[in-house]
Amino acid sequence: MKKRLMTVVLACVTALALTACGDKEFSPVKGGLYVNDDHTVKSSYVEDFSGDGLNLDELKSMAQAEIEAYNQEKAGLNYYSVDQFKDQEGMEDTVLPISIENIAMDEENTNELVAILDYATAADYVAYNQDDITSGGGTTLAVGTVGDSPVSIEGSFVTIHGKTVELSEIMEESDYHVVYLDFAATVTVNGTVQYISTNVSCQTRNVVTTPGGEGAFIIFK
C-alpha cells in the first residue's frame, strides 16, 4: 500500500479543514493526524481515485497486503487488522504495530476513498510514513508525558490563548501529555491543549497546526 496505494489514493499532505470553534473530533479528512492520551496514533486519508482503473476490492487487498507485511516484519504478526483476531482466545492482549480500522468509499462521493489507520506507537507512524514526513519538512514524531518525555522539552511556550508561560511551570505538570514533531501537520489530540511552542498555531482547544522544518511541541491533558 505504501508504495502503490498510498501514492495513488492515500497521499498524506497533512492538511485539515477547520471551521468550528471549541473541541473538534477527529474525522476522515485528508492527512488528519490524531494522538490519543494512551500515546497511540491514528491517521486518516481521503483521496479521489477516479480514473486510476482500480476498484475498492483491489485497493483493500493492496492495503491489507502492505500492512500485513509491515506487521510481519516488525512484530512477526501476520495480520492487517485487530478485527481479524479480536474474538480469538489468547489474542486479547495482542497489539499490531499498524491496524486498518476502515477502508471504504465515501458515502456521498463514490470516487473518493476514505482510509483510517491505527498505529501502536509514534515510531510506527514515522516508519510507515517516512516519505510523507520528509516531504513535510522533518523526520520525527514523538509522544510521551512531560515527566518522561522522549524528547527534551525546550524553547518558548504560550497557552492556547497566547499568554507566555515559563518552562518551569510546564515541567511541574509531569502527567500532561507531550507531542513533538518537526514536520508540517495538523494534529488533533484526545484532550485539551494546555501549552504550545510559539511556532504552533492553535485552531481549537484540541487541534493545532505545526510548521515544517523545525521542532514543535504540543502539551495537553
Side-chain angles (χ1 to χ4, degrees), residues 146-190:
V146 169
D148 189 24
S149 176
V151 177
S152 178
I153 301 174
E154 56 187 13
S156 300
F157 289 83
V158 294
T159 68
I160 62 173
H161 302 296
K163 181 181 178 181
T164 300
V165 60
E166 296 296 327
L167 182 58
S168 58
E169 181 179 341
I170 294 174
M171 298 307 295
E172 292 177 357
E173 305 293 351
S174 60
D175 292 336
Y176 283 10
H177 308 283
V178 58
V179 181
Y180 171 85
L181 62 161
D182 60 0
F183 55 93
T186 298
V187 184
T188 301
V189 300
N190 181 23

Side-chain angles (χ1 to χ4, degrees), residues 59-76:
L59 293 168
K60 281 186 174 181
S61 294
M62 291 163 60
Q64 290 165 358
E66 185 74 20
I67 298 300
E68 185 174 312
Y70 180 93
N71 291 334
Q72 169 61 33
E73 178 183 354
K74 296 296 181 179

Side-chain angles (χ1 to χ4, degrees), residues 122-134:
D124 288 310
Y125 177 87
V126 170
Y128 196 71
N129 295 281
Q130 190 61 68
D131 290 345
D132 299 308
I133 291 172
T134 299

Side-chain angles (χ1 to χ4, degrees), residues 63-64 67-68 71 77-86 88 91 94-103 116-118:
Q64 290 165 358
I67 298 300
E68 185 174 312
N71 291 334
L77 296 167
N78 293 310
Y79 300 98
Y80 56 80
S81 172
V82 295
D83 289 338
Q84 292 176 282
F85 57 80
K86 65 180 181 180
Q88 294 183 31
M91 299 286 287
T94 301
V95 176
L96 294 179
I98 304 177
S99 178
I100 298 173
E101 181 175 317
N102 191 38
I103 297 179
I116 300 176
L117 303 181
D118 295 319

